[in-house]
Amino acid sequence: LRDKAPLHYDAKLKAHVLSRYEDVAFVLKNHALFSSTKIRIAGKLQEERASVKELGSVSNLVSMDPPVHTRLRGLVSRSFTPKQINAMEPRVRELSRELVAEMTSRSEFDFMDALASPLPVTIIAEMLGIDPVRRRDFKRWSDNLIQSNNATLQSGETPEEVIRSAKEMLAYMTEVAEARRREPRGDLISLLVQEIDGVAALTPPEVNSFTTLLLIAGNETTTNLLGNALTALIRNPGEYEAFRRDPSPAACSAICEETLRYDSPVIGLFRRTTQEVEMSGGKLPADTSVMVLLASANHDPRKFPEPERFDPTRDTHGLMSFGHGIHFCLGAPLSRLEAPVALRELMERAPRLGFSPRQPQDIDYGGSFFLRGPKSL
Ligand code: HEM
């Protein structure tokens, strides 16, 4: 695609697909030409998904353009400052240690179930201030929401169970938001519903759509990053051995950054043209869907030499895995904290992991066309 068809029309997605680093960056930077609103995937409007309607979240941060996006991004950014994220390190370490200890008490385990998946969802639940007795429900709701996101995108249908989860979660989050408005605590929801330094609070529907977005955007992605990192290490014994000799925090971060580039947890993003645009030797009509392939941008040799080599010592500056421009991932600092900390705990307790003989040669990636990570490992 990058060499022969940098502007490729995919009939099934009904979208123009861009794969070169420069083109991907151009699209994401020019949000006035490439809107995040009214996105159509395979001809279907994203807002038409049942689970989204049930949640009352007609629109959320990722599907907004300025100036609406600017206001909301400003509001929620105050709960994701580097200071707040860094303060979570001891808790992330403690939880990682517990999960790794539990996992490695068995000789064979599913890394995804035992560590990669529970770590981010528990941290988000704690950040939001979800009552510990509701954590199990919360995990079920978020699993269902993520599943719905994948299932709906592929089949266009939303399972009953998912709609029920969406309703339950909406009721619970509305209750929590109301309680925190009356009596704030030190959690994220309290921050979102309070007026701080003259900056208005989020409205109840905004709180709901934002917490849903955090669940979808923040969980499976970090889970995938961890699964992809372990896969890359096991498949590259030389790099695994070098990491074993130096499992320093810097080395843990380097493994995660190179994994983000080499095996991007988010494969691509969608936009819609607001006018006719000329690029890569072709023309994009106005009001058409565009898919930018982040994973391909990360493998463009024009930007990253020898892209098919997993090399944790390389310069990964400019990787596209968290997007680019005004929608750049809000949770990047959080996953850049969680994944290296989890890897370090893993290296301390279990420095020599390998695939079980029961692990299929071809890892099951679940078949989503926009998220990528092992279903089990
Ligand atoms: C946005 C990837 C983790 C919250 C994005 C975007 C990407 C991305 C590509 C841009 C979407 C667009 O431009 O349309 C990732 C990856 C992650 C990760 C690869 C982990 C490895 C997280 C976490 C959170 C989070 C942990 C929160 C807890 C968000 C939010 C946005 C976003 C709120 C929307 C920002 C906006 O529209 O202004 N993420 N993400 N993400 N991400 Fe992440």
Side-chain angles (χ1 to χ4, degrees):
L1 283 179
R2 280 190 303 264
D3 287 341
K4 306 231 167 77
L7 186 69
H8 164 74
Y9 183 75
D10 186 290
K12 211 168 149 197
L13 285 175
K14 296 197 171 72
H16 289 85
V17 179
L18 294 166
S19 47
R20 285 190 186 169
Y21 184 90
E22 235 175 74
D23 292 338
V24 170
F26 178 81
V27 168
L28 297 180
K29 216 162 39 197
N30 288 287
H31 51 85
L33 295 178
F34 299 94
S35 170
S36 289
T37 66
K38 302 195 190 74
I39 300 291
R40 285 176 186 276
I41 304 178
K44 204 171 154 72
L45 264 183
Q46 273 202 302
E47 287 88 11
E48 285 165 4
R49 277 182 289 148
S51 61
V52 174
K53 272 192 275 180
E54 292 301 334
L55 278 162
S57 55
V58 180
S59 178
N60 66 34
L61 195 63
V62 262
S63 48
M64 286 174 178
D65 287 338
V68 193
H69 173 266
T70 321
R71 174 190 157 265
L72 195 61
R73 174 95 186 192
L75 286 179
V76 298
S77 297
R78 63 192 186 190
S79 40
F80 278 83
T81 61
K83 200 173 147 211
Q84 271 154 329
I85 300 300
N86 288 336
M88 291 162 55
E89 214 234 52
R91 175 58 188 143
V92 171
R93 185 170 302 286
E94 177 188 55
L95 180 61
S96 302
R97 191 166 294 175
E98 276 170 32
L99 293 169
V100 168
E102 159 68 21
M103 178 176 86
T104 53
S105 65
R106 288 163 279 151
S107 63
E108 197 175 306
F109 45 80
D110 182 354
F111 175 77
M112 303 311 287
D113 268 357
L115 179 64
S117 163
L119 178 66
V121 75
T122 309
I123 294 295
I124 280 282
E126 292 182 2
M127 270 180 89
L128 286 171
I130 304 297
D131 193 336
V133 301
R134 297 305 294 272
R135 290 276 161 77
R136 287 179 80 93
D137 289 331
F138 188 77
K139 172 92 171 80
R140 179 170 51 86
W141 298 333
S142 51
D143 285 350
N144 276 332
L145 272 177
I146 290 163
Q147 194 206 358
S148 107
N149 220 37
N150 294 345
T152 316
L153 282 174
Q154 274 152 46
S155 70
E157 283 181 25
T158 308
E160 264 306 293
E161 164 72 8
V162 169
I163 296 180
R164 199 165 346 107
S165 279
K167 283 184 178 162
E168 280 177 28
M169 184 167 120
L170 176 63
Y172 176 69
M173 295 313 289
T174 308
E175 196 184 296
V176 176
E178 201 33 62
R180 298 294 187 277
R181 210 186 318 271
R182 285 194 308 269
E183 211 177 309
R185 292 191 195 166
D187 56 38
L188 205 153
I189 302 227
S190 300
L191 265 178
L192 297 175
V193 299
Q194 298 302 311
E195 183 184 315
I196 298 172
D197 299 334
V199 180
L202 261 64
T203 63
E206 283 173 342
V207 171
N208 283 318
S209 66
F210 185 61
T211 46
T212 312
L213 174 62
L214 287 186
L215 284 180
I216 296 173
N219 283 326
E220 199 177 344
T221 45
T222 308
T223 298
N224 288 351
L225 168 57
L226 279 166
N228 294 347
L230 184 61
T231 305
L233 284 172
I234 295 177
R235 288 189 170 160
N236 292 275
E239 280 64 34
Y240 200 3
E241 184 50 40
F243 185 34
R244 217 173 268 131
R245 283 195 302 270
D246 167 31
S248 62
C252 294
S253 289
I255 297 282
C256 291
E257 294 301 307
E258 174 63 346
T259 303
L260 282 164
R261 185 202 67 80
Y262 179 75
D263 203 356
S264 187
V266 179
I267 296 171
L269 300 172
F270 286 87
R271 294 293 191 264
R272 180 179 52 83
T273 53
T274 55
Q275 61 180 71
E276 191 182 87
V277 187
E278 197 144 344
M279 60 189 302
S280 268
K283 245 187 209 153
L284 288 168
D287 199 25
T288 199
S289 291
V290 175
M291 185 187 199
V292 292
L293 297 178
L294 305 178
S296 169
N298 287 336
H299 280 253
D300 190 337
R302 296 162 191 85
K303 173 72 183 172
F304 298 105
E306 282 193 84
E308 307 309 320
R309 215 160 70 89
F310 179 72
D311 175 11
T313 66
R314 79 161 71 230
D315 179 6
T316 53
H317 189 77
L319 53 78
M320 277 292 155
S321 318
F322 289 116
H324 186 61
I326 60 166
H327 290 279
F328 183 84
C329 179
L330 189 69
L334 179 58
S335 54
R336 282 177 159 150
L337 168 72
E338 286 176 349
V341 164
L343 269 192
R344 180 152 168 99
E345 291 305 316
L346 190 68
M347 289 304 277
E348 285 194 352
R349 254 199 172 248
R352 241 167 256 281
L353 292 175
F355 290 139
S356 144
R358 277 184 283 157
Q359 169 81 44
Q361 194 70 15
D362 286 328
I363 291 175
D364 176 11
Y365 284 98
S368 161
F369 63 81
F370 87 115
L371 290 178
R372 183 177 150 91
K375 293 295 116 190
S376 70
L377 203 61

